[in-house]
């Protein structure tokens, strides 16, 4: 099953490679991994999207907690949470595709952030599955380039990950 | 600059003094010359010059295994650090507390492919508990303080501190922190009381209770608490390779070692028990074999371990107790005293089964008139040393025979590489133990293949007058490789034959030691007696025992099979 794991870690050089090294050394999947400093500059927040059986997810959480630089770990799937990912897509927007691309962008509540004679650059946010759905819905031949940030997640309501 | 400023190199040394380090094992080189200059000008710890960095780490590791203190090693950048990696990985797999200080090229040269540069922190990351690159002289003292704290607390392990050369030349004031707090690192010490009570009641009401103890008992200095507890509840107990000595081997409750080369009774009892208590052990593949087969006989499993990630890693645990083994065992003992519980009446029947398995006498072997049996050498070693020696071993058949035929009564007497299985550790391990206990008997049980992986250390032994007794079980084969090739590869002995062996007697003599070649069974005991006699008390003795080439280690659980699917000597 797909899990989104959020963690707070010391914002130190090498901390990222400790986490990514753990995943490769123990053969765990990483679907995506995003990291950036938090409002407290000494801490980074990382979101890892992974998949595995309950036993494997339990081991992943334990192994992450074992890393000396990791301060807190939360499996967002243990409760209610919100997930968002940003995708920027450059699509063909010549005469053949221009209307279609505008319409699909509106349907997925995206925004066109750059325009040229022959292309649109579109920004879309949502859950990773929504972004997948957008890609599925448009003509593959029209896609020039895509870039995705990987998912970020946060617990709903009172669920707070903080030191 | 104020007058109390000292160099970064001197700060490193002062930190080691603050930690009351007695021995530093190391090898100099360009990036650590400033540190070595500071080593030269102090006399609070002794520096032990090895002949290869790998041996520095192993020796420091054995110093730690034998004393319980943090082992310390010092190596240079580049090849110094890469040579150290095998030693670090060995210590990591067996959770040995160590601090390794490595030199690094100057900060301004990092990333420039400088001479003797390598990404030491990157290379060692997967085989250390933690590591640091110190980029500022202000951080040296606090980093070393953290390194000692992290290495020795929680589940112990090696910690590496990489220090660039320019920082060791700069000057700054020395201020060693009194305490250390890491918000991201808080090992759990005390076990959950509710779980502990539940565990005790399960054990007391079990029909076939069993205890399985591991290296955690030895590392956690919990042997006496374990012994007290096991004797009080009266159940049988087995031990992993790493746990030997955690419970006295001569006690009738002890079933011997379990696992791939465990005793028949220990493995059968593990398989047949209904409540199992694992203490500081990790259910690894060499110990329980195939986990599905292991669980095919239903049992309730209680697991005490300081590392939460060890729990339910290979086998699902019913009653996990996360905590320091000594703290949890003490609580269990207190509960037993308070409740004045009677011994479990089912034990009588259970020991009847066990006695039947015991009567298989699975470790019996036939002595030969002409050929020296390796098992006989170990038994005689036990007799001659009265069971009171520090025994180090290398890796292979001789290691298993030492574990099987040298019963350990005390913890920290059996020193070997369990997890990583590193050939070559035996001699440097013996160095670390002998330096820690200069008056003790230290024997290195090895084979002609393993010993050659760190043979250069005979020179270190000469320099530091280490009277180690080397028991070389020389069967002219990489014995364990040959055994697997005999059993599983149709006797095709691919590259497992040791051709062109040196004359070990002359080799030992050339280093200034005593060499002996023993070829007849009747010479085994006299040779060992002579080696351990007062006459040779101050000397390293290299005993080259020419043993039966075809001897195998039994019982054996083939790889991937269940614990009760053993091959015994009689099966063949």
């Amino acid at each position: 099953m797909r899990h989104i794991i959020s963690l707070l870690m010391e914002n130190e050089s090498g901390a990222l490679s400790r986490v990514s090294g753990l995943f490769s050394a123990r053969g765990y999947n990483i679907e995506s991994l995003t990291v950036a400093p938090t409002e407290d500059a000494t801490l980074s927040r990382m979101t890892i999207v992974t998949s595995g059986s309950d036993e494997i997810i339990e081991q992943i959480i334990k192994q992450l907690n074992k890393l000396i630089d990791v301060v807190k770990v939360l499996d967002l799937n243990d409760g209610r949470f919100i997930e968002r990912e940003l995708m920027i897509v450059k699509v063909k927007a010549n005469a053949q595709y221009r209307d279609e691309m505008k319409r699909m962008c509106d349907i997925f509540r995206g925004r066109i952030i750059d325009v040229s004679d022959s292309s649109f650059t579109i920004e879309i946010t949502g859950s990773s599955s929504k972004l997948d759905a957008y890609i599925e819905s448009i003509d593959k031949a029209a896609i020039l380039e895509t870039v995705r940030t990987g998912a970020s997640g946060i617990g709903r309501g009172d669920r707070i990950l903080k030191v | 600059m104020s007058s109390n400023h000292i160099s970064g190199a001197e700060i490193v040394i002062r930190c080691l003094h603050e930690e009351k380090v007695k021995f530093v094992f190391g090898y100099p080189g360009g990036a650590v010359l400033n540190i070595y200059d500071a080593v030269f000008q102090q006399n609070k710890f002794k520096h032990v010059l090895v002949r290869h960095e790998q041996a520095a780490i192993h020796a420091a590791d054995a110093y730690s295994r034998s004393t319980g203190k943090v082992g310390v090693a010092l190596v240079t950048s580049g090849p110094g650090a890469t040579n150290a990696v095998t030693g670090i990985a060995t210590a990591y797999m067996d959770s040995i507390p160590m601090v390794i200080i490595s030199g690094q090229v100057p900060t301004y040269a990092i990333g420039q492919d400088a001479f003797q540069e390598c990404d030491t922190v990157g290379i060692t990351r997967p085989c250390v508990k933690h590591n640091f690159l110190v980029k500022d002289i202000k951080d040296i003292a606090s980093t070393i303080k953290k390194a000692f704290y992290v290495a020795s607390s929680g589940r112990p392990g090696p910690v590496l501190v990489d220090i660039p050369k320019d920082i060791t030349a700069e000057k700054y004031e020395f201020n060693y922190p009194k305490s250390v707090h890491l918000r991201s690192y808080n090992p759990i010490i005390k076990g959950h009381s509710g779980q502990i009570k539940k565990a005790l009641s399960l054990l007391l009401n079990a029909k076939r209770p069993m205890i399985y103890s591991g290296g955690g008992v030895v590392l956690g200095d919990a042997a006496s608490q374990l012994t007290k507890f096991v004797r009080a509840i009266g159940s049988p107990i087995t031990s992993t390779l790493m746990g030997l000595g955690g419970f006295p081997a001569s006690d009738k409750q002890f079933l011997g070692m379990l696992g791939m080369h465990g005793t028949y009774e220990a493995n059968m009892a593990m398989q047949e028990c209904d409540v199992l208590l694992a203490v500081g052990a990790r259910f690894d593949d060499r110990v329980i074999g195939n986990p599905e087969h292991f669980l095919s006989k239903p049992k309730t499993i209680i697991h005490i371990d300081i590392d939460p990630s060890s729990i339910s890693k290979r086998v699902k645990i019913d009653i996990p107790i996360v905590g320091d083994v000594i703290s949890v065992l003490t609580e269990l003992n207190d509960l037993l005293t308070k409740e004045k519980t009677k011994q479990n009446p089912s034990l009588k029947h259970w020991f009847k089964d066990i006695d039947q398995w015991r009567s298989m006498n699975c470790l019996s072997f036939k002595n030969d008139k002409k050929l020296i049996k390796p098992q006989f050498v170990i038994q005689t070693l036990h007799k001659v040393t009265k069971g009171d020696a520090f025994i180090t071993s290398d890796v292979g058949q001789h290691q298993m025979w030492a574990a099987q035929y040298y019963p350990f009564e005390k913890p920290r007497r059996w020193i070997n590489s369990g997890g990583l299985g590193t050939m070559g550790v035996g001699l440097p391990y013996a160095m670390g133990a002998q330096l820690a206990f200069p008056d003790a008997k230290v024997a290195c049980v090895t084979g002609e293949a393993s010993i050659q992986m760190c043979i250069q250390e005979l020179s270190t032994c000469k320099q530091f007058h280490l009277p180690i007794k080397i028991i070389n079980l020389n069967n002219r084969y990489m014995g364990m490789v040959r055994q697997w090739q005999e059993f599983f590869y149709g006797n095709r002995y691919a590259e497992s034959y040791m051709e062109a062996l040196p004359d070990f007697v002359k080799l030992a003599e050339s280093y200034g030691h005593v060499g002996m070649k023993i070829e007849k069974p009747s010479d085994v005991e006299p040779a060992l007696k002579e080696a351990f006699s007062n006459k040779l008390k101050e000397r390293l003795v290299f005993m080259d025992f020419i043993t039966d080439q075809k001897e195998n280690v039994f019982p054996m659980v083939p790889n991937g099979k269940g614990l009760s699917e053993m091959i015994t000597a009689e099966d063949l």
Side-chain angles (χ1 to χ4, degrees), chain B residues 321-354:
Chain B
I321 302 172
V322 177
D324 195 356
V325 285
I326 191 163
S327 148
V328 178
L329 286 167
T330 308
E331 203 169 330
L332 280 166
N333 280 326
D334 291 349
L335 279 176
L336 274 176
T337 336
K338 227 189 279 165
E339 294 178 9
K340 290 183 192 131
T341 2
K342 278 186 207 146
Q343 268 201 1
N344 185 338
S346 310
L347 284 170
K348 232 181 181 174
H349 290 283
W350 181 215
F351 270 103
K352 254 185 201 160
D353 292 343
I354 288 167

Side-chain angles (χ1 to χ4, degrees), chain B residues 492-508:
Chain B
R492 291 182 300 281
Y493 299 138
E495 304 297 326
S496 57
Y497 184 67
M498 296 296 285
E499 283 184 66
L501 285 171
D503 179 332
F504 286 110
V505 173
K506 279 190 188 156
L507 182 70

